[in-house]
């Protein structure tokens, strides 16, 4: 069974709690739109987002960790601790695999069934995926290295995680896998351990670039991003310039598979894509 883990930032550091809640609700509907019932969802948050969607396989854990400051490293520490809390809680559900999901992304409805067919597999990384600018009628297919772009990219066998005994409110997290704070590292780290994960053979997720920049990494100023990783920042600028030339039409088939409905027109399109 596949367990999805969704960490959510606090309303106190959200650019817009209303918009974040809309993005999360779409993400959650996408996650729960699986063609197999062999999944559970754990959401770890300071406060529950304001949504109308309910599903019996969704479980919320509310934490009282200190609110992180505005820097990317502190926000990532908060995310890492929430993922660790979710991983420890998942033990009771006896999962075969875990998939961390960023709260604004959408995923393929085929994932739970695919995982259920290979319960002993070490797992998969998403090499092929889509990139989407919120509100657009176009979408971009990333044919390789999607896992370097998006945090919603790894499906890992639960037995491969290194976990602390507990997560303390006011103490730094210790005894964790480094790829909890750096999703591109999972592929290399697990291969180095002799437990490699495989590329998923189909597009597994949509990386959503929302208009208000709720994504933690998108909130990082360009200057700070350049100082942290100049090559990555330059690749991002190049990709933005080339995007109009490599995008394709966002079809009804893609919308249906990933449950990607327009946030500003949900009421009219709910029945069509869900």
């Amino acid at each position: 069974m596949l367990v999805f883990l969704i960490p959510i930032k606090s309303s106190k550091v959200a650019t817009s709690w209303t918009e974040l809640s809309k993005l999360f609700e779409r993400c959650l509907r996408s996650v729960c739109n699986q063609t197999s019932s062999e999944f559970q969802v754990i959401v770890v948050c300071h406060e529950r987002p304001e949504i109308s969607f309910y599903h019996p396989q969704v479980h919320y854990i509310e934490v009282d960790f200190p609110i992180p400051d505005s820097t990317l490293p502190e926000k990532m520490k908060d995310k890492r601790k929430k993922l660790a809390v979710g991983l420890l809680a998942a033990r009771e559900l006896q999962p075969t695999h875990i998939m961390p999901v960023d709260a604004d992304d959408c995923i393929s409805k085929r994932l739970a069934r695919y995982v259920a067919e290979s319960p002993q597999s070490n797992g998969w990384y998403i090499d092929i995926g889509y990139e989407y600018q919120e509100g657009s009628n176009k979408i971009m297919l990333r044919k390789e290295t999607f896992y370097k772009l998006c945090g919603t990219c790894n499906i890992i066998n639960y037995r491969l995680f290194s976990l602390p005994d507990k997560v303390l409110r006011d103490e730094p997290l210790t005894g964790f896998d480094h790829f909890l704070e750096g999703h591109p590292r999972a592929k290399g780290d697990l291969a180095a351990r002799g437990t490699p994960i495989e590329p998923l053979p189909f597009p597994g997720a949509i990386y959503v670039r929302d208009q208000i920049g709720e994504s933690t990494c998108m909130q990082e100023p360009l200057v700070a991003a350049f100082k942290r990783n100049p090559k990555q920042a330059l690749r991002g600028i190049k990709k933005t310039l080339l995007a109009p030339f490599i995008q394709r039409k966002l079809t009804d088939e893609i919308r249906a598979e990933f449950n990607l409905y327009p946030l500003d027109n949900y009421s009219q399109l709910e029945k069509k894509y869900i």
Side-chain angles (χ1 to χ4, degrees):
M1 181 186 66
L2 176 59
V3 171
F4 299 100
L5 295 186
I6 310 178
I8 302 179
K9 67 176 69 174
S10 169
S11 63
K12 296 180 176 61
V13 294
T15 304
S16 167
W17 186 241
T18 298
E19 292 302 311
L20 184 148
S21 295
K22 290 180 182 179
L23 288 161
F24 167 67
E25 179 164 351
R26 183 176 65 187
C27 169
L28 193 60
R29 288 178 181 272
S30 175
V31 168
C32 293
N33 194 39
Q34 298 298 301
T35 59
S36 166
S37 62
E38 291 296 308
F39 74 92
Q40 297 285 334
V41 185
I42 296 177
V43 181
V44 187
C45 55
H46 281 86
E47 312 93 358
R48 294 195 186 195
E50 299 168 1
I51 66 173
S52 60
F53 178 68
Y54 166 81
H55 195 285
Q57 288 162 249
V58 177
H59 316 274
Y60 288 87
I61 301 175
E62 295 181 51
V63 298
D64 63 347
F65 299 152
I67 305 300
D69 62 30
S70 59
T71 63
L72 180 63
E74 290 303 310
K75 290 179 180 178
M76 295 307 293
K77 287 179 183 178
D78 177 71
K79 180 179 180 179
R80 182 178 67 219
K81 289 183 74 171
K82 287 173 178 172
L83 285 172
V85 167
L87 283 165
L88 289 173
R91 186 174 294 158
E92 297 183 7
L93 300 174
Q94 298 183 326
T96 61
H97 292 80
I98 298 289
M99 181 178 187
V101 177
D102 286 349
D104 50 358
D105 293 333
C106 294
I107 65 170
S108 170
K109 64 182 180 181
R110 294 186 276 166
L111 293 180
R113 183 174 300 279
Y114 186 80
V115 170
E117 293 172 352
S118 302
Q120 300 304 317
S121 171
N122 290 334
W124 303 265
Y125 62 93
I126 298 180
D127 201 36
I128 310 169
Y130 291 102
E131 188 172 351
Y132 173 68
Q133 179 65 48
E134 186 62 51
S136 176
N137 61 358
K138 300 286 185 66
I139 197 165
M140 183 166 58
L141 176 66
R142 192 180 183 105
K143 297 182 179 180
E144 59 182 10
T145 65
F146 178 84
Y147 66 93
K148 293 184 178 180
L149 168 73
C150 178
T152 306
C153 65
N154 294 312
I155 303 172
I156 301 172
N157 196 299
Y158 190 69
R159 61 180 163 79
L160 299 181
F161 284 95
S162 301
L163 295 172
D165 294 329
K166 61 178 65 176
V167 180
L168 301 176
R169 179 188 184 278
D170 297 310
E171 298 293 331
L173 187 66
T174 59
F176 62 91
D177 298 291
H178 289 295
F179 53 76
L180 283 188
E181 63 181 354
H183 56 84
R185 298 183 60 171
K187 175 177 176 286
D189 286 0
L190 290 170
R193 295 182 192 176
T195 53
I197 55 178
E198 308 169 58
L200 192 73
F202 56 88
I206 296 178
Y207 174 53
V208 176
R209 292 183 175 274
D210 62 90
Q211 295 176 345
I212 61 171
E214 264 320 334
S215 166
T216 297
C217 290
M218 287 175 64
Q219 288 182 335
E220 185 181 26
L222 180 59
V223 173
F226 187 84
K227 289 181 179 179
R228 178 175 56 84
N229 191 331
K231 290 184 178 180
Q232 182 179 353
L234 289 173
R235 283 197 299 268
I237 295 172
K238 179 181 178 181
K239 184 172 58 181
T240 299
L241 295 174
L242 292 176
F245 304 100
I246 57 179
Q247 290 177 331
R248 60 177 64 184
K249 180 181 179 182
L250 176 56
T251 64
D252 285 351
E253 288 75 18
I254 295 174
R255 286 194 183 277
E257 177 168 353
F258 294 88
N259 201 24
L260 180 69
Y261 57 80
L263 293 181
D264 59 355
N265 200 20
Y266 169 65
S267 60
Q268 296 181 28
L269 294 170
E270 176 179 8
K271 293 182 180 179
K272 186 174 182 181
Y273 298 122
I274 298 177

